[in-house]
Amino acid sequence: MSDMTCKLLIIGAGPGGYVCGIRAGQLGIDTIIVDEQKPGGTCLNVGCIPSKALIHAAEEFHKLSHFNGSSPLGITAASPQIDLSATVDWKNGIVTRLNAGVAGLLKKSGVRLIAGKATFQDGKTVKVTTGDTSVQIRAEQVVIATGSAPVELPFLPFGDTVISSSEALSLRSVPERLCVVGGGYIGLEIGTAFAKLGAKVTVVEAAERILPQYDSALTRPVLKSLQALGIEVMLSTKAKGLGDKGLKVETAEGSEREIAADKVLVTVGRRPRSDSANIASLGLATDGPFLRIDDRCRTSMQGVFAIGDVTGEPMLAHRAMAQGEMVAEIIAGHKRSWDKRCIPAVCFTDPEIVTCGLSPDEAKAQGGAVTTGQFPFAANGRAMTMEAEDGFVRVVARKEDGLILGLQAVGRGVSELSAAFSIAIEMGARIDDIGAVIHAHPTQSEGLQEACLAALGHALHI
Ligand code: FAD
Ligand code: NAD
């Protein structure tokens, strides 16, 4: 076994780890990053990017399928076909390009990327095994960025019929009947895509609402659209196991039912990979299954940091990246701590949901008086020209001075409003600031200005 040394060792080259590596390299820190998979982590290989590629392909196919003579736009097209295998090859091509892109960025920053499985020997020593060879790396500082993995239900083990999101994103043909267990982010994003590709989709959700982390005003347009796509949404329903024809469930009324399915996609959350790399041997403090960190991403062991999904919610790529960048700067001696006012979240359903900062209920729970303003896309010219009138933009502000505490929207393509939302909150904007900014016409972002004007009591277009 050979030996290597470095100042900083990062375990995991997902969005958290690789951004930490790039920034560390830029700051002149001698850095090694280790991953057993291709660089990019869950996000690039089996998460954000592959799912958005599938969602895009499904949307294009669905659009064409509906130009069947009934479109008010006057477009008619012959019945389209999809070769999902070709779609998956296209998606894999994007992933491969991005894998090479991440490796190139690390190289450009002078970071050494090692392919292999890391195992802690002690808090500063890690053994990395690749096939039959292994190397021992000693570092002054270590960052754990091992990410997360799909939760497996004990009564629905992953196999041929029961699949996780990773397999769903690489299916070579559209299943005739797909049953999705879990109506959260992943289940609804992928379930919607397969319904658009022609599968008969059923969503089984244990809670009484889909996307239970969002308020019902935001999820209502999504539920309406799922139903319009022919997706059966079974709420307050528990999965029980595989039957002869598909998935056995206990319905809201307490009766047993079997839902016919060729594939059962289980998306009931993700678990941190805090059991990976012999992390347990370090005896780090935990918060439930997650590694406990402070406002500088320090764990309970000196010189050992943790970032990304392994440290808890929200398990989002951009949170992991922001933590990675911050930790690299801390290791370089900069005075940094986690000072973000908000982490935007986007659910890429149809329509999309974007949230940033506090919801009305969360703001009220903080005690102070709150004002809200809402603008419907039904009154937005651009939304009408895109046949995207469902949804709205909502602002939540402190009553006293109009400081924006939260922004939410649901609607077609609203993911692109997330930057404006985050900037407004990070910069400490007030509703009168945004109300006074000229927003280009005709755009959906006029909804943001109008929501702020509505909160001030003088919206112009409703
Ligand atoms: P990961 O990306 O999980 O990377 C961890 C890396 O560590 C992996 O590459 C793994 O191979 C490596 N590793 C683990 N243990 C070892 C070991 N012992 N030795 C060597 N290497 C090891 N987030 C968004 O913000 N937007 C989205 O649209 C979005 N869509 C998603 C869609 C799906 C289907 C899924 C599953 C997730 C999605 N996410 C999305 C979540 C996002 O992918 C994660 O939040 C993000 O990848 C977390 O980054 P990370 O760096 O913490 O960990
Ligand atoms: P999730 O927490 O979003 O949803 C899981 C759903 O499964 C919940 O609604 C829950 O009530 C339900 N559930 C749990 N146990 C169940 C059971 N036994 N039977 C039926 N339903 C059950 O989890 P996810 O969809 O797996 O996504 C995991 C994480 O990945 C998310 O929290 C998010 O951080 C990240 N993600 C983000 C994006 C995005 O940013 N667009 C997309 C996908 C994933």
Side-chain angles (χ1 to χ4, degrees):
M1 186 160 64
S2 57
D3 281 330
M4 291 173 87
T5 56
C6 59
K7 171 146 181 169
L8 170 62
L9 172 65
I10 304 167
I11 303 175
Y18 86 71
V19 167
C20 186
I22 292 171
R23 186 69 187 120
Q26 288 172 345
L27 291 163
I29 300 170
D30 174 26
T31 304
I32 295 179
I33 187 164
V34 179
D35 203 305
E36 54 188 332
Q37 306 286 336
K38 297 221 173 94
T42 302
C43 169
L44 202 164
N45 292 298
V46 289
C48 321
I49 299 297
S51 60
K52 272 73 232 181
L54 184 75
I55 288 168
H56 172 69
E59 176 58 22
E60 295 297 293
F61 178 70
H62 180 67
K63 251 190 237 162
L64 281 177
S65 314
H66 283 73
F67 290 142
N68 56 2
S70 62
S71 165
L73 275 61
I75 302 172
T76 308
S79 160
Q81 305 293 318
I82 182 145
D83 172 358
L84 191 64
S85 192
T87 311
V88 167
D89 287 342
W90 163 75
K91 177 267 289 180
N92 289 344
I94 295 172
V95 170
T96 305
R97 263 168 58 201
L98 289 171
N99 290 140
V102 171
L105 290 169
L106 288 165
K107 192 172 172 198
K108 189 176 141 211
S109 305
V111 175
R112 288 173 280 171
L113 170 63
I114 298 186
K117 189 173 174 57
T119 312
F120 275 104
Q121 310 295 295
D122 62 47
K124 299 287 152 38
T125 316
V126 167
K127 184 169 137 190
V128 179
T129 311
T130 321
D132 295 337
T133 58
S134 54
V135 54
Q136 182 158 286
I137 306 174
R138 272 200 71 78
E140 289 171 34
Q141 316 263 1
V142 178
V143 174
I144 300 173
T146 48
S148 64
V151 167
E152 186 169 24
L153 292 171
F155 49 88
L156 280 174
F158 294 131
D160 190 36
T161 305
V162 182
I163 56 173
S164 77
S165 52
S166 302
E167 292 75 42
L169 294 168
S170 284
L171 287 176
R172 291 278 163 181
S173 60
V174 178
E176 214 170 291
R177 296 156 311 177
L178 174 70
C179 189
V180 179
V181 181
Y185 273 93
I186 301 181
L188 294 187
E189 287 186 7
I190 299 180
T192 300
F194 275 105
K196 288 182 177 178
L197 291 170
K200 166 81 192 100
V201 177
T202 307
V203 174
V204 172
E205 167 57 53
E208 51 191 25
R209 296 198 295 110
I210 53 162
L211 294 165
Q213 65 271 51
Y214 295 124
D215 61 76
S216 54
L218 286 171
T219 57
R220 210 170 295 126
V222 177
L223 182 62
K224 192 175 135 197
S225 151
L226 294 173
Q227 287 162 343
L229 281 168
I231 298 177
E232 185 181 1
V233 181
M234 300 180 71
L235 300 173
S236 306
T237 301
K238 293 191 197 85
K240 287 288 178 188
L242 270 192
D244 298 334
K245 291 182 289 159
L247 181 75
K248 289 194 291 189
V249 298
E250 185 187 317
T251 66
E253 297 74 37
S255 58
E256 290 249 331
R257 190 181 139 186
E258 187 163 340
I259 303 161
D262 304 298
K263 293 283 178 199
V264 176
L265 167 61
V266 177
T267 54
V268 293
R270 294 182 59 84
R271 61 170 183 82
R273 278 205 212 94
S274 48
D275 53 353
S276 167
N278 197 24
I279 293 169
S281 69
L282 305 182
L284 301 176
T286 53
D287 271 330
F290 300 105
L291 296 183
R292 181 181 299 169
I293 50 166
D294 67 6
D295 64 351
R296 287 171 199 182
C297 290
R298 293 179 297 196
T299 66
S300 55
M301 184 180 276
Q302 203 175 359
V304 178
F305 295 78
I307 57 175
D309 284 8
V310 76
T311 64
E313 296 283 356
M315 289 197 242
L316 296 173
H318 40 280
R319 168 178 173 267
M321 292 188 206
Q323 289 178 320
E325 186 197 31
M326 179 186 77
V327 166
E329 296 191 353
I330 289 171
I331 290 170
H334 297 197
K335 268 201 169 338
R336 287 287 313 270
S337 61
W338 189 258
D339 58 358
K340 310 293 181 198
R341 288 192 180 187
C342 60
I343 302 172
V346 175
C347 187
F348 291 85
T349 39
D350 179 12
E352 294 171 344
I353 296 176
V354 53
T355 61
C356 200
L358 302 180
S359 70
D361 285 345
E362 286 165 345
K364 280 175 204 149
Q366 288 199 342
V370 165
T371 182
T372 61
Q374 189 163 311
F375 187 80
F377 284 123
N380 175 271
R382 179 66 176 144
M384 286 181 205
T385 63
M386 300 194 313
E387 302 177 281
E389 293 176 39
D390 259 1
F392 57 86
V393 182
R394 184 175 66 195
V395 64
V396 182
R398 201 156 65 186
K399 193 159 190 131
E400 181 194 349
D401 56 3
L403 181 77
I404 298 178
L405 303 172
L407 283 159
Q408 300 89 33
V410 54
R412 177 107 30 97
V414 292
S415 51
E416 290 302 329
L417 292 181
S418 65
F421 287 8
S422 313
I423 290 168
I425 294 176
E426 276 305 333
M427 305 293 230
R430 299 173 189 215
I431 44 180
D432 52 342
D433 293 325
I434 303 296
V437 171
I438 298 177
H439 285 67
H441 176 76
T443 62
Q444 281 175 290
S445 62
E446 288 172 279
L448 168 60
Q449 183 186 19
E450 288 279 6
C452 292
L453 291 176
L456 289 164
H458 50 85
L460 292 166
H461 290 89
I462 37 171

